[in-house]
């Protein structure tokens, strides 16, 4: 298609392959993974769809040009020389986000200042007026990325990070980022084909993302808006078409999604957020201590959770992780249990051998997503049955 263009989807470390798969499933072409990003091609409708539907993307960036730069004077001159009229007018507010990885440019803030000056001066010289900068809610967010001596100029089609899904009004001390939650679920192989439990559900993010995956509901359906809606070339009709088509692809879910938390305040927050996401019919939240619980279904159970860790809550690490292991062993046969932890020492106390470990980051903390397979009966008995068969 002649109107395809290159885009970059940014993501979290360890989610690049997940995002590439999501993009291919949505219909992107020339999908290539980088570090914390995936490049791809699609048309304007696809850019709308990527923002609306991708679960593991943080931003969708649309590159507009790139050039070599020697120093800040060179940067100013080349930004000034660009034709900004297709993207901005004197009545448009804008903001600059800059990232630099270069010996010649060491301060991102200085780069964004220089870029802003060049754009403002260009408009003032041409039209006698200048557009205003609005750091919080600009009409246009411009992305400057300098790698050594190459400067990439791009437009941010998302605006606020795509982890702001729009359903979460109530949170606890350290809620898990929605993109992180979705990525952990996809890493765990969750596809909505069995019962699901988050035994330490906090404000319900994992539950909500699990239900949206199970029902194939677009990740950002509850969001207030995207940056591209303020662009001069925004096509409202095309966006509505993309939105309706995405909603037509939702599917029914025939199992249970259950969340426990022992804090009544967390349970209430989780219920509120689930209601905001219009998912009450799929998700059940109960006040319950996981360590005193047992499996609620005779069928296979998929469990994904984010246990508290020392950084945010005061817990006896050794006892706590030993209790996780004991509860899984005694009360949860026939369960695939996944959880994320940044306390790699604590994993020793679980007393079970993880069958998988995936390196991820929870905010700035290097973490592991670990999987424990709890067999029906003992593993040995299971193995004996297989060898007799």
């Amino acid at each position: 298609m002649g109107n395809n263009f290159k885009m970059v989807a940014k993501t979290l470390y360890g989610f690049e392959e997940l995002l590439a798969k999501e993009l291919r499933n949505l219909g992107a072409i020339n999908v290539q993974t980088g570090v914390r990003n995936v490049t791809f091609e699609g048309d304007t409708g696809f850019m709308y769809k990527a923002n609306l539907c991708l679960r593991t993307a943080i931003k969708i960036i649309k590159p507009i040009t790139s050039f070599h730069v020697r120093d800040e004077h060179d940067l100013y001159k080349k930004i000034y020389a660009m034709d900004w009229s297709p993207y901005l007018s004197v009545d448009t507010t804008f903001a600059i986000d800059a990232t630099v990885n270069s010996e010649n440019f060491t301060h991102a803030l200085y780069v964004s200042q220089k870029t802003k000056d060049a754009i403002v001066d260009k408009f003032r010289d041409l039209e006698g007026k200048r557009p205003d900068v609005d750091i919080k809610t600009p009409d246009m967010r411009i992305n400057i990325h300098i790698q050594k001596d190459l400067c990439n100029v791009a437009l941010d089609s998302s605006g606020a990070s795509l982890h702001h899904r729009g359903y979460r009004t109530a949170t606890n001390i350290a809620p898990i980022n929605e993109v992180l939650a979705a990525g952990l679920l996809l890493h765990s192989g969750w596809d909505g084909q069995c019962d699901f439990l988050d035994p330490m559900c906090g404000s319900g993010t994992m539950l909500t993302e699990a239900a949206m995956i199970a029902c194939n509901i677009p990740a950002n359906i509850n969001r207030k808006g995207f940056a591209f809606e303020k662009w001069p070339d925004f096509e409202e009709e095309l966006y509505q078409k993309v939105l309706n088509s995405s909603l037509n692809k939702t599917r029914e879910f025939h199992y249970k999604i259950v969340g426990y938390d022992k804090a009544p305040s967390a349970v209430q927050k989780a219920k509120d957020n689930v209601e905001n996401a219009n998912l009450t019919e799929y998700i059940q939240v109960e006040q319950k201590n996981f360590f005193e619980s047992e499996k609620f279904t005779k069928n296979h159970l998929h469990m994904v959770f984010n246990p508290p860790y020392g950084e945010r809550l005061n817990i006896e690490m050794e006892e706590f992780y030993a209790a996780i292991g004991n509860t899984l062993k005694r009360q949860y046969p026939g369960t695939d249990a996944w959880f994320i932890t940044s306390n790699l020492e604590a994993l020793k106390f679980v007393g079970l051998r993880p069958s998988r470990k995936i390196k991820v980051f929870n905010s700035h903390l290097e973490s592991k997503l670990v999987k424990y397979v709890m067999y029906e009966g003992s593993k040995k008995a299971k193995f004996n049955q297989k060898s007799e068969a």
Side-chain angles (χ1 to χ4, degrees), residues 13-248:
Y13 174 90
F15 287 3
E16 298 89 349
E17 290 299 336
L18 295 174
L19 178 53
K21 187 179 175 184
E22 278 197 89
L23 279 160
R24 287 189 193 100
N25 289 345
L26 278 185
I29 54 174
N30 293 339
V31 177
Q32 291 178 313
T33 55
V35 177
R36 293 192 174 88
N37 68 65
V38 180
T39 58
F40 62 98
E41 286 173 28
D43 58 11
T44 301
F46 191 84
M47 181 179 73
Y48 298 167
K49 184 159 73 163
N51 275 288
L52 184 67
C53 297
L54 290 172
R55 302 183 193 285
T56 55
I58 294 168
K59 293 259 182 196
I60 309 296
I61 305 291
K62 180 185 181 180
I64 51 174
T65 190
S66 58
F67 42 76
H68 291 279
V69 281
R70 291 188 305 277
D71 52 31
E72 63 266 26
H73 305 296
D74 202 19
L75 174 69
Y76 175 92
K77 202 169 73 189
K78 285 175 176 164
I79 294 286
Y80 184 96
M82 287 175 64
D83 177 9
W84 287 98
S85 60
Y87 317 113
L88 295 171
S89 74
V90 290
D91 303 316
T92 315
T93 59
F94 74 102
I96 310 287
D97 293 322
T99 48
V100 294
N101 186 5
S102 163
E103 284 175 10
N104 298 342
F105 299 90
T106 48
H107 292 291
L109 204 60
Y110 187 58
V111 165
S112 60
Q113 192 66 37
K114 270 292 180 205
T115 305
K116 183 213 75 167
D117 291 348
I119 294 171
V120 162
D121 292 352
K122 176 75 173 265
F123 274 95
R124 198 185 276 125
D125 294 349
L126 282 176
E127 302 189 32
K129 268 184 85 184
R130 50 156 287 181
D132 288 330
V133 170
D134 176 350
I135 293 165
K136 285 196 171 150
T137 54
D139 298 324
M140 178 64 76
R141 200 172 269 284
I142 298 158
N143 212 272
I144 303 289
H145 181 258
I146 300 179
Q147 180 73 29
K148 292 182 180 162
D149 69 341
L150 184 67
C151 174
N152 291 300
V153 183
L155 307 180
D156 176 351
S157 73
S158 306
S161 164
L162 292 175
H163 81 272
H164 294 294
R165 302 279 206 236
Y167 60 75
R168 203 162 76 177
T169 50
T171 61
N172 294 327
I173 305 167
I176 192 167
N177 168 321
E178 293 88 327
V179 166
L180 177 59
L184 298 179
L185 288 159
L186 292 173
H187 262 317
S188 79
W190 169 246
D191 58 3
Q193 299 306 302
C194 65
D195 292 312
F196 180 92
L197 174 67
D198 177 349
M200 301 178 187
C201 72
S203 55
T205 307
M206 198 76 80
L207 300 172
T208 308
E209 294 294 324
M212 289 203 290
I213 291 170
C215 301
N216 200 32
I217 294 167
N220 290 304
I221 192 70
N222 298 297
R223 198 177 146 102
K224 299 212 167 38
F226 303 98
F228 63 71
E229 292 177 67
K230 292 181 176 177
W231 290 6
D233 63 355
F234 174 56
E235 297 175 53
E236 173 73 50
E237 210 175 300
L238 176 61
Y239 177 61
Q240 282 306 324
K241 208 168 148 183
V242 167
L243 179 61
N244 294 335
S245 153
S246 302
L247 286 173
N248 285 338

